Amino acid sequence: MMQPTRVIDFVDAVAVYNDYPALAGVTFSVDRQEIVLLQGPNGAGKTTLLRACAGLIPVVRGSAHVLGVDIAIDRESIRERVGLLGHQNGLFAELTIAENVDFWSTVVGATRAERDAAMQRMSIDGKLANRRVSELSAGQKRRCALACLVVRRAEIWLLDEPHAGLDAKGRDEIDLILKEAASAGATIVVASHEVERAQQLASRTVSLVAGHVRGVS
Amino acid sequence: MTMSVSRIAQAVAVKDLRIELRSRIVTNQVLPFSGLVMVMFAFALDSDDVLQGVAGGLVWLATIFSLFILVQRSFAIEVSDGALDSLRVAGVNPQGIFLGKSISLFVQLIALEVVLLLTAVVLYRVSLGGAGLVLLVTCVVSATAGLAFVGTLYGGLTAGARGRETLLPLLLLPVVAPVLISATRATEAAFTSNGVTVSEGWPWVAVLAVFAAVFGLGGLLSFGSLIEE
């Protein structure tokens, strides 16, 4: 069966966060295997848009489809197919990288081969894999979190400030990983303040201001 | 691929217990805290007759105080780096998360209660016969199951709330009152304290079993909605 080209399609979507209309009528779309940058000042609605795409925040008005599913009606069925990496990594500090990835593999039903492939894709070798997350650098933690995302076989990667807290080498590593993921079939939406760097990565930039799309370039 | 509830529960329980074994919160903080509660009451009451009479109540009071710490800890590891959010986004079956966290809490509470009961036997010189032991084991298992289920349910409810450290005991204490009362009565019967016979303890165990069943079922059905935004 042909996969639909448009994987995210929001038309005049409104989402409320903490009694505030963080998305005040957003029209926004993303095609399969695209890398799209969301940019805008703090409070523009970037994080809310990512969380709405992940089905975490309800869209209360307008229409919103992710992977062909109307998420205004059904937010839960897309969750297995979408991966969100926010400001936090979603890791367990007392566990090693391998144990974190193993945990995710088990709860999502990934095979041993998929788990090994995810670790390899993030350049996590034997020695690094056995280090506890609490002992890792910010870049290594990000790589571990991305390995957990890969093991989940997410079709859409929603990344909130993926470069935050990383040194130049760590940022380059993340960019490389994202390019490889897009080549391998993932669709990626990145919210970032690092516009220049992210623009080199993205095919399109969507500017958000006060919950509205102010431009697409 | 959708994973079975039991597989997810096993993964969550193993993960939680592994984290506790490494962080040693139970052995280094919870156990000394509950031990202190038992010892301080021994000094404060300073009478074997009184202590034997209240031994059951003190064991369960110390257990419930410790439950607050264990539940806080159980959900702190999920929210500190956004893991609970990630589990929700990944569409991991919340029933599996609920069961897994309940199992982990159950194991930790059982370990704690064994130490507290042994402390009561040594410190308060309570006696325990064969029939009393059977009653006590049944009481401990059913009371602990109830505490683990209700603790996980309320831990999930308050996980994302501001001031959750103080909110949790405030919400949880009235709800666990039936466990405190029933388990205390059943333990008194097991110890044959205050002239109570062992057979008088069994109706209280039935109350504990009903409590565990209600909160186990309620948790399975509602945990997913509770951890939603």
Side-chain angles (χ1 to χ4, degrees), chain A residues 17 51 54 56 79-80 82 84 88-92 94-96 99 103-104 106-109 132 152, chain B residues 1-3 11-12 15 18-19 22-23 77-83 85-91 228-229:
Chain A
Y17 186 63
R51 292 176 76 82
L56 283 178
R79 288 186 179 173
E80 284 180 43
V82 174
L84 172 69
Q88 296 175 305
N89 291 310
L91 301 173
F92 302 102
E94 300 286 344
L95 301 184
T96 64
E99 287 165 344
F103 171 74
W104 276 103
T106 308
V107 295
V108 300
R132 286 192 196 178
R152 284 179 43 202
Chain B
M1 188 194 299
T2 305
M3 288 305 294
V12 171
K15 178 262 297 173
R18 185 175 279 156
I19 289 172
R22 291 198 184 145
S23 63
I77 59 175
E78 301 293 345
V79 297
S80 63
D81 195 29
D85 245 8
S86 300
L87 287 167
R88 286 169 49 217
V89 178
E228 277 293 326
E229 267 180 85

Side-chain angles (χ1 to χ4, degrees), chain B residues 2 13 49-50 93 136 146 163 173 176 189 193:
Chain B
T2 305
D49 288 345
V50 177
N93 191 325
L136 186 63
L173 196 53
V176 296
S193 310

Side-chain angles (χ1 to χ4, degrees), chain A:
Chain A
M1 195 175 74
M2 273 291 285
Q3 295 283 337
T5 309
R6 184 149 292 183
V7 290
I8 298 176
D9 193 11
F10 279 40
V11 179
D12 208 17
V14 175
V16 178
Y17 186 63
N18 283 345
D19 298 329
Y20 173 76
L23 298 183
V26 164
T27 298
F28 162 77
S29 63
V30 181
D31 290 338
R32 188 169 293 279
Q33 280 186 278
E34 223 186 343
I35 302 181
V36 172
L37 165 68
L38 295 181
Q39 64 123 2
N42 288 338
K46 303 186 295 294
T47 300
T48 305
L49 181 53
L50 292 180
R51 292 176 76 82
C53 289
L56 283 178
I57 295 177
V59 171
V60 294
R61 238 180 38 221
S63 88
H65 291 80
V66 174
L67 294 162
V69 176
D70 184 348
I71 60 166
I73 298 168
D74 177 12
R75 286 188 290 145
E76 298 199 356
S77 63
I78 55 143
R79 288 186 179 173
E80 284 180 43
R81 302 167 67 191
V82 174
L84 172 69
L85 185 56
H87 297 128
Q88 296 175 305
N89 291 310
L91 301 173
F92 302 102
E94 300 286 344
L95 301 184
T96 64
I97 292 183
E99 287 165 344
N100 269 284
V101 181
D102 279 346
F103 171 74
W104 276 103
S105 304
T106 308
V107 295
V108 300
T111 62
R112 185 87 190 166
E114 285 173 315
R115 174 248 191 220
D116 291 343
M119 303 262 278
Q120 198 177 15
R121 202 160 141 195
M122 296 303 142
S123 311
I124 297 170
D125 58 15
K127 198 176 170 189
L128 180 61
N130 291 320
R131 284 180 64 192
R132 286 192 196 178
V133 168
S134 57
E135 300 165 354
L136 302 178
S137 69
Q140 289 167 328
K141 283 180 188 170
R142 253 341 198 197
R143 273 161 55 194
C144 178
L146 287 168
C148 295
L149 209 62
V150 171
V151 102
R152 284 179 43 202
R153 314 176 198 94
E155 292 169 52
I156 302 177
W157 293 20
L158 306 164
L159 308 175
D160 202 355
E161 301 294 350
H163 302 106
L166 303 184
D167 58 17
K169 186 171 170 253
R171 291 169 190 201
D172 289 342
E173 280 176 1
I174 296 294
D175 287 352
L176 190 63
I177 288 166
L178 298 186
K179 279 179 192 163
E180 283 175 2
S183 306
T187 305
I188 300 172
V189 183
V190 181
S192 181
H193 285 297
E194 305 228 9
V195 177
E196 277 182 34
R197 174 177 282 275
Q199 271 175 339
Q200 289 173 7
L201 197 68
S203 55
R204 276 190 306 136
T205 301
V206 176
S207 301
L208 283 170
V209 178
H212 293 90
V213 173
R214 284 286 180 244
V216 179
S217 56

Side-chain angles (χ1 to χ4, degrees), chain B residues 15-35:
Chain B
K15 178 262 297 173
D16 276 14
L17 290 171
R18 185 175 279 156
I19 289 172
E20 282 317 314
L21 279 174
R22 291 198 184 145
S23 63
R24 297 186 183 277
I25 298 284
V26 174
T27 47
N28 292 355
Q29 293 176 22
V30 181
L31 212 53
F33 166 75
S34 49

